[in-house]
Amino acid sequence: MMYVTVPDERLDLIKTLSKRIEEISNTTINFDEVTKQIRVIPKDNNSYNAMKVISVINALGFGFEPNDAMRLMSDDYGLEIINLKEFTNSVNSLRRIKGRVIGEKGKTKRTIEEYTGVIVLVKDHEIGLLGNIEQLSIAKRAIELLIEGKEHNTVYKYLDKAERYAMLSNVNRNLKEGL
């Protein structure tokens, strides 16, 4: 049995989706209205599926769209939440970091999403990343570089190199599987 909490404004959405999530995951989802906790109980003692459900609920609670959050039921997808308070406690610095990640008119955030296929959500003091496990680490590293103060050009070059490396890895993997 595992517990999770979400913001009040996302609770109704999760309740609406809970039956669908239970069917897919072979779990039971209970809501405690007093403590605002959501309890996930695996029906077949498979705690792995319950952990996946917790990830889906966390993604929904963070603000990801239901169809995107449901991808977390696959072994190929993951969720990362970066707490910007771990890097600064200054409101001005927090605003600056978020601005660097988003970029002018959203360009930087969009570039990271286009290169990696990872969905990036920037909130008050957190950045949520949801995507393919392999690409997730690349997107997270790109954001960490921005947080560290690296120039945007440096981050774009990193993304370009990472994409080329991933393509070469896929070609090599396909060659090995074909032999």
Side-chain angles (χ1 to χ4, degrees), residues 14-24 29:
I14 293 165
K15 285 180 180 177
T16 304
L17 295 169
S18 65
K19 290 296 168 219
R20 183 169 144 211
I21 296 170
E22 285 176 338
E23 289 170 10
I24 292 170
I29 301 172

Side-chain angles (χ1 to χ4, degrees), residues 8 11 17 35 69-70 85 94 104 121 125 139 159 167 169:
D8 289 348
L11 204 52
L17 295 169
T35 63
M70 293 302 283
K85 286 184 177 178
L94 191 66
E104 193 173 321
L121 280 186
H125 62 273
L159 288 168
M167 287 180 6
S169 295

Side-chain angles (χ1 to χ4, degrees), residues 6-175:
V6 297
D8 289 348
E9 66 270 11
R10 301 295 286 179
L11 204 52
D12 286 341
L13 171 66
I14 293 165
K15 285 180 180 177
T16 304
L17 295 169
S18 65
K19 290 296 168 219
R20 183 169 144 211
I21 296 170
E22 285 176 338
E23 289 170 10
I24 292 170
S25 63
N26 200 24
T27 59
T28 302
I29 301 172
N30 295 326
F31 298 89
D32 185 328
E33 299 297 332
V34 176
T35 63
K36 305 282 187 192
Q37 285 190 325
I38 302 168
R39 186 172 58 198
V40 179
I41 308 158
K43 290 181 182 172
D44 55 3
N45 287 330
N46 184 346
S47 58
Y48 184 65
N49 278 346
M51 287 173 37
K52 286 183 180 182
V53 171
I54 295 289
S55 287
V56 170
I57 293 170
N58 279 329
L60 291 167
F62 193 81
F64 287 98
E65 293 295 321
N67 287 340
D68 295 327
M70 293 302 283
R71 291 180 182 171
L72 292 167
M73 290 305 299
S74 157
D75 289 340
D76 298 331
Y77 281 79
L79 173 70
E80 287 274 351
I81 307 289
I82 300 170
N83 185 348
L84 297 176
K85 286 184 177 178
E86 293 176 12
F87 300 93
T88 182
N89 55 8
S90 154
V91 174
N92 287 338
S93 182
L94 191 66
R95 192 176 303 124
R96 185 181 48 76
I97 289 171
K98 285 174 24 180
R100 288 179 52 73
V101 170
I102 295 168
E104 193 173 321
K105 297 181 182 173
K107 180 185 183 239
T108 305
K109 176 181 169 291
R110 201 169 38 254
T111 300
I112 293 169
E113 289 176 328
E114 288 170 1
Y115 264 94
T116 62
V118 171
I119 302 162
V120 179
L121 280 186
V122 180
K123 293 182 72 175
D124 297 335
H125 62 273
E126 295 175 311
I127 299 173
L129 306 167
L130 191 156
N132 175 285
I133 295 284
E134 290 177 20
Q135 297 298 312
L136 194 60
S137 62
I138 294 169
K140 182 179 181 189
R141 183 66 191 135
I143 288 171
E144 288 171 343
L145 290 170
L146 290 166
I147 291 169
E148 292 167 9
K150 300 287 189 247
E151 290 185 24
H152 285 83
N153 237 4
T154 303
V155 175
Y156 299 150
K157 286 177 186 170
Y158 162 76
L159 288 168
D160 202 41
K161 277 185 189 171
E163 182 182 47
R164 275 186 277 143
Y165 179 78
M167 287 180 6
L168 284 173
S169 295
N170 285 337
V171 167
N172 286 337
R173 191 178 311 123
N174 291 338
L175 285 172

